[in-house]
Amino acid sequence: MAQVALRRPDERTKALHDTMAELLGMDEPRQRLAAEMSGLGIHYDLGEGHPLLGRRMPDLDLVTANGPLRVFTLLHDARPVLLNLREPGGLDLTSWADRVQLVDADYAGEWELPALGRVAAPAAVLIRPDGYVAWVGDGTDTGLRDALTTWFGSS
């Protein structure tokens, strides 16, 4: 609606258009608006925790034992993914292994999210099939069992 409103030919709208053009020349407003328009600014309230919780997982370039891989490639099968970004074998997914894919990987780089900017790199992330983050690990599995049960059924 805002984009359509900015197309009106009156003087007030032209003044608003000029202001918007000036703002979009700046990085932060442009990134925030792009995140909102693309849906990457959507945030589901899944409780307190890491800023990534309830947001769309960024499509990172990962390094796995089988070679390089992009996060969104893991979502092609529409299955949830538990992405372990620390020491392999640190997370137990045995009871959900038939429903959730466990991937051990590394990511070298900063975590920068649309509409948020830089965030601390998580130790692990549980990604729903729609690409949104259901749980973020801080080096422990605290809360993982609850998140797995909530989103993917009991063990």
Side-chain angles (χ1 to χ4, degrees), residues 68-133:
L69 183 69
R70 291 193 60 93
V71 169
F72 287 2
T73 302
L74 297 170
L75 301 174
H76 286 183
D77 293 332
R79 286 186 63 203
V81 174
L82 178 57
L83 184 58
N84 179 27
L85 298 163
R86 293 294 194 260
E87 198 63 37
L91 298 170
D92 180 21
L93 192 58
T94 306
S95 298
W96 289 271
D98 61 329
R99 291 166 271 173
V100 180
Q101 179 184 7
L102 175 62
V103 176
D104 293 316
D106 290 314
Y107 175 70
E110 293 182 348
W111 285 66
E112 189 155 345
L113 304 177
L116 281 183
R118 289 188 179 125
V119 298
V125 180
L126 178 62
I127 310 167
R128 300 183 328 196
D130 64 358
Y132 283 82
V133 176

Side-chain angles (χ1 to χ4, degrees), residues 1-152:
M1 289 187 334
Q3 289 175 336
V4 170
L6 285 172
R7 291 187 174 177
R8 284 185 276 178
D10 62 77
E11 288 302 311
R12 287 186 171 111
T13 303
K14 183 181 178 332
L16 178 59
H17 184 274
D18 292 345
T19 300
M20 289 299 298
E22 185 178 330
L23 286 171
L24 292 175
M26 300 175 205
D27 286 340
E28 187 177 339
R30 184 177 55 247
Q31 290 170 351
R32 185 173 183 120
L33 187 60
E36 292 302 320
M37 290 175 64
S38 67
L40 293 176
I42 294 172
H43 177 243
Y44 295 105
D45 184 5
L46 300 182
E48 296 294 318
H50 193 280
L52 189 57
L53 185 64
R55 294 191 180 273
R56 180 94 171 156
M57 179 68 185
D59 190 18
L60 305 173
D61 289 310
L62 303 172
V63 177
T64 70
N66 296 326
L69 183 69
R70 291 193 60 93
V71 169
F72 287 2
T73 302
L74 297 170
L75 301 174
H76 286 183
D77 293 332
R79 286 186 63 203
V81 174
L82 178 57
L83 184 58
N84 179 27
L85 298 163
R86 293 294 194 260
E87 198 63 37
L91 298 170
D92 180 21
L93 192 58
T94 306
S95 298
W96 289 271
D98 61 329
R99 291 166 271 173
V100 180
Q101 179 184 7
L102 175 62
V103 176
D104 293 316
D106 290 314
Y107 175 70
E110 293 182 348
W111 285 66
E112 189 155 345
L113 304 177
L116 281 183
R118 289 188 179 125
V119 298
V125 180
L126 178 62
I127 310 167
R128 300 183 328 196
D130 64 358
Y132 283 82
V133 176
W135 172 83
V136 179
D138 59 2
T140 70
D141 64 356
T142 303
L144 177 58
R145 190 173 200 67
D146 291 339
L148 288 164
T149 301
T150 297
W151 293 103
F152 312 114

